Amino acid sequence: MKNSVEKNLDEFTYNQPNESSEEEFRSENVNDNEVTVFHKLSKADFLKLTTVVLKGARLSSLPDIPFINVVKFDLSDNLLSSIPSSFSLLEKLQTLNLSRNQFDRVPDCLARGFFALKHLFLSENLIVNLRSMDCLSSLQLLDIHKNQIDSFPDSLISTSCVRLVELDISHNFCFKKEKSIDELLGLLCRPRRATISQSLKNITLSNCQLVEKCSETNFLELLPNLRELNLTNDGSLEHKKLFSNEHNFLPKIPLSSMMNMKHLCVLKLSNVSLRDLTDKISEFRNLEILELKNNYLNWLPDGFCDLKNLELCDLSNNELYLLPDKIGNLSKLSVLLLPFNPLSDLPESLGQLENLKFLDLYFNQISKIPEVFLNLNLEGIDVENNHFDSSSLPKSMNYSMLLNELRSKYQLTRILGYRPEVEISVSSDSDSSQLEASSYSEKSGKDVPTCHSISSVELWDTEEDEDDLFNPNDFRPPCVRELNPSSRRKTSYFRVSPPVEGQFDDAESE
């Protein structure tokens, strides 16, 4: 933090003070929600300012001061609802950050100036409509996520907005009205009309009520030059009852709306209830990053192995039982994240991934040390909470160092140890079958929770008038998966012992 304002400065920055600097806060920065420090600057000093940062200064208003030569202005995290009209004179302004304020409409000065503005941040306000603005002619980045916009802004479809490269419109209801979508498609499809459909390279549509096989996703057809597409839902979807009406629901990738994206490099589809990854994923041959975590995928098609440019793949917290045999074809893959899956074995071709540096297999069902580890030149790996003891890995592998490297890289806080397989033993000498779990061997010394017993008495609902829906999750005993509270689906996997001779004699006699 700068303790004084020097006469020759070209930058003014206000940092929110600590509790111990109350005197300094009152005297030099903000007092009664007014910037008093500017009164110490002469007119010549204002002309030298090129950067002003007033983030988190609790401002409710701004002085009517002409910052003629300012290029970057940060007013985020304040209490502003308006900006002085003199700000329209900032002809050199290129970056303006108004995020996390109290604007319910776009400030008037944006509609009448800022012709050089390239980056505009208006996120987390109360804006309902993004009206026409003069600043759109040069705008390259626009962030308006977490507002109250209920239709796609007409101003972004105008011929004046032809240089926009990056757009974040997530957490809005811009695709709620079907009529607005039809109008949007009609305007973007007009021949010889320059619009964002040609300039846009990066779009984020998280939590925008997008639904597969509905007209909302047709908007994607008109973005052939996209490099990055983010449809991920923010927040946890641990229970379906928490599935908000603003979430994207995409059990399948909307490929019919994406086939024109030949240059797509980054695809993010996490937390969208994705259940099927078809062979057509191979059409996106330029994909470098693929994020599909927190979904319901239980297999990967052969077409997945044709993504020759893939460098990072995140499949965390899915339901994958196996990996494709041709996964070794992903020659450029350097990061493979597979924690919280029921994988029990790894294909031998995994050892062909010469560029693989980080491999995460935490909390799977692997019962023996995969030999493919010995063929990999890894920089980080995590195999804790599987069905084998990581201490039995070859010392030449230096597993402890590799484990710390991966966990520090991704800032992971996890327990250590292995997880013995749980078996259900069925005894003919008792009226009920007891679920027996061996102790949880863990370096941190934590105890495994006792598993509930499973009764052998079956109760059948004989009333035909009731329309009951069967939910298998209601009958799952809370078991090993409860050890990790961050796991989205608390699923347990058991090995059932073979029946004992004479076990079902009583049932046959009845």
Side-chain angles (χ1 to χ4, degrees):
M1 181 174 177
K2 299 179 181 179
N3 296 324
S4 61
V5 180
E6 300 179 8
K7 291 296 182 181
N8 295 324
L9 282 180
D10 63 350
E11 177 178 347
F12 173 79
T13 302
Y14 162 76
N15 291 325
Q16 192 170 0
N18 299 324
E19 295 179 359
S20 59
S21 58
E22 184 177 356
E23 181 177 354
E24 181 182 5
F25 175 79
R26 289 179 180 176
S27 61
E28 291 195 15
N29 290 290
V30 180
N31 186 21
D32 296 329
N33 293 332
E34 292 289 345
V35 180
T36 59
V37 69
F38 287 129
H39 297 302
K40 300 179 181 181
L41 300 177
S42 65
K43 184 176 180 180
D45 294 329
F46 282 115
L47 295 177
K48 294 178 182 179
L49 282 175
T50 59
T51 301
V52 178
V53 180
L54 293 170
K55 179 179 181 180
R58 297 185 297 176
L59 298 173
S60 60
S61 62
L62 289 172
D64 196 357
I65 300 175
F67 300 92
I68 301 298
N69 293 312
V70 171
V71 176
K72 176 183 177 181
F73 214 127
D74 188 349
L75 291 165
S76 58
D77 296 289
N78 283 289
L79 305 172
L80 298 172
S81 59
S82 63
I83 295 179
S85 58
S86 61
F87 271 56
S88 59
L89 301 176
L90 276 65
E91 297 180 355
K92 297 182 180 180
L93 189 66
Q94 296 184 9
T95 301
L96 177 60
N97 192 344
L98 300 175
S99 298
R100 294 176 295 280
N101 278 278
Q102 297 180 2
F103 294 99
D104 58 1
R105 55 180 294 177
V106 176
D108 293 337
C109 57
L110 284 173
R112 300 193 303 269
F114 297 142
F115 295 103
L117 193 64
K118 294 182 179 180
H119 309 115
L120 176 59
F121 301 87
L122 286 167
S123 62
E124 298 186 51
N125 280 284
L126 305 171
I127 299 173
V128 177
N129 183 26
L130 198 68
R131 59 179 179 172
S132 179
M133 300 180 291
D134 291 342
C135 65
L136 292 176
S137 58
S138 300
L139 203 62
Q140 298 177 6
L141 182 151
L142 177 61
D143 185 355
I144 50 175
H145 79 270
K146 289 190 177 180
N147 277 278
Q148 298 179 8
I149 300 173
D150 59 357
S151 61
F152 198 88
D154 294 339
S155 56
L156 298 183
I157 314 171
S158 65
T159 55
S160 62
C161 185
V162 294
R163 296 179 180 174
L164 193 65
V165 175
E166 185 172 351
L167 173 64
D168 188 348
I169 199 170
S170 57
H171 289 274
N172 282 288
F173 301 98
C174 51
F175 299 103
K176 184 177 180 180
K177 300 177 182 178
E178 187 172 351
K179 181 181 178 181
S180 65
I181 298 171
D182 294 337
E183 293 175 352
L184 170 64
L185 294 174
L187 290 171
L188 290 176
C189 288
R190 288 183 182 178
R192 299 181 182 179
R193 179 186 173 95
T195 60
I196 60 171
S197 63
Q198 299 300 320
S199 63
L200 206 59
K201 300 292 189 298
N202 184 339
I203 187 169
T204 301
L205 296 168
S206 302
N207 302 75
C208 282
Q209 293 184 322
L210 291 174
V211 180
E212 187 230 354
K213 293 184 179 180
C214 289
S215 57
E216 292 95 330
T217 58
N218 294 339
F219 165 65
L220 301 175
E221 295 180 17
L222 306 174
L223 303 174
N225 295 320
L226 271 188
R227 300 294 191 275
E228 180 173 341
L229 175 61
N230 188 352
L231 301 176
T232 292
N233 283 322
D234 299 331
S236 174
L237 299 181
E238 181 175 350
H239 304 291
K240 290 183 179 180
K241 63 183 179 181
L242 298 180
F243 197 90
S244 171
N245 59 358
E246 72 170 20
H247 283 124
N248 299 330
F249 182 68
L250 302 168
K252 293 184 179 181
I253 298 180
L255 292 176
S256 59
S257 302
M258 297 169 55
M259 297 311 294
N260 291 333
M261 301 178 187
K262 301 299 182 183
H263 307 289
L264 194 64
C265 297
V266 180
L267 178 59
K268 298 181 180 181
L269 276 165
S270 299
N271 243 8
V272 295
S273 298
L274 184 66
R275 298 178 181 272
D276 187 17
L277 192 67
T278 65
D279 267 326
K280 289 185 178 180
I281 190 68
S282 61
E283 297 290 334
F284 305 102
R285 298 186 179 275
N286 292 313
L287 266 186
E288 298 175 1
I289 297 177
L290 180 61
E291 293 186 4
L292 303 174
K293 61 184 178 182
N294 297 341
N295 284 302
Y296 297 91
L297 295 172
N298 52 33
W299 69 288
L300 297 174
D302 291 337
F304 168 79
C305 301
D306 293 331
L307 301 174
K308 300 297 179 65
N309 290 306
L310 193 62
E311 298 178 6
L312 184 150
C313 183
D314 190 350
L315 292 163
S316 307
N317 203 11
N318 274 275
E319 298 178 353
L320 294 172
Y321 288 90
L322 51 85
L323 297 177
D325 293 333
K326 297 181 180 180
I327 195 172
N329 293 344
L330 303 176
S331 56
K332 294 186 179 182
L333 191 64
S334 61
V335 179
L336 181 57
L337 306 178
L338 293 163
F340 298 104
N341 279 284
L343 288 171
S344 59
D345 198 6
L346 300 176
E348 294 182 2
S349 63
L350 191 67
Q352 301 174 11
L353 299 177
E354 298 178 355
N355 291 313
L356 190 63
K357 301 301 180 184
F358 293 93
L359 177 61
D360 191 355
L361 293 167
Y362 181 80
F363 217 111
N364 276 269
Q365 305 293 324
I366 302 173
S367 57
K368 62 180 181 179
I369 300 175
E371 296 181 0
V372 296
F373 288 173
L374 306 178
N375 301 328
L376 298 172
N377 186 23
L378 296 172
E379 297 179 2
I381 186 174
D382 191 345
V383 295
E384 300 299 307
N385 271 282
N386 278 278
H387 295 328
F388 69 92
D389 192 348
S390 60
S391 63
S392 59
L393 288 168
K395 293 183 178 180
S396 59
M397 189 176 176
N398 202 354
Y399 173 72
S400 297
M401 183 191 73
L402 298 181
L403 176 65
N404 291 331
E405 284 292 329
L406 185 139
R407 293 192 175 186
S408 61
K409 178 180 176 65
Y410 295 100
Q411 300 179 348
L412 301 172
T413 303
R414 294 170 170 174
I415 59 177
L416 298 173
Y418 70 95
R419 192 175 75 259
E421 295 181 79
V422 181
E423 296 186 358
I424 298 178
S425 60
V426 182
S427 175
S428 60
D429 299 331
S430 60
D431 295 333
S432 63
S433 301
Q434 183 73 23
L435 182 65
E436 299 177 354
S438 55
S439 62
Y440 181 74
S441 176
E442 178 186 6
K443 295 179 183 177
S444 60
K446 295 182 181 180
D447 296 329
V448 63
T450 304
C451 298
H452 296 269
S453 61
I454 301 178
S455 175
S456 62
V457 180
E458 297 183 359
L459 300 178
W460 295 86
D461 187 0
T462 57
E463 298 184 15
E464 298 180 356
D465 296 335
E466 294 186 5
D467 185 15
D468 295 334
L469 295 177
F470 173 72
N471 185 358
N473 292 321
D474 295 338
F475 301 93
R476 284 179 177 169
C479 193
V480 181
R481 203 68 186 255
E482 289 184 351
L483 286 171
N484 194 319
S486 64
S487 176
R488 180 170 54 87
R489 294 182 298 278
K490 299 175 182 178
T491 307
S492 303
Y493 302 92
F494 305 101
R495 178 177 296 169
V496 181
S497 302
V500 181
E501 183 178 358
Q503 177 182 344
F504 302 107
D505 290 348
D506 295 338
E508 292 178 357
S509 62
E510 293 179 2

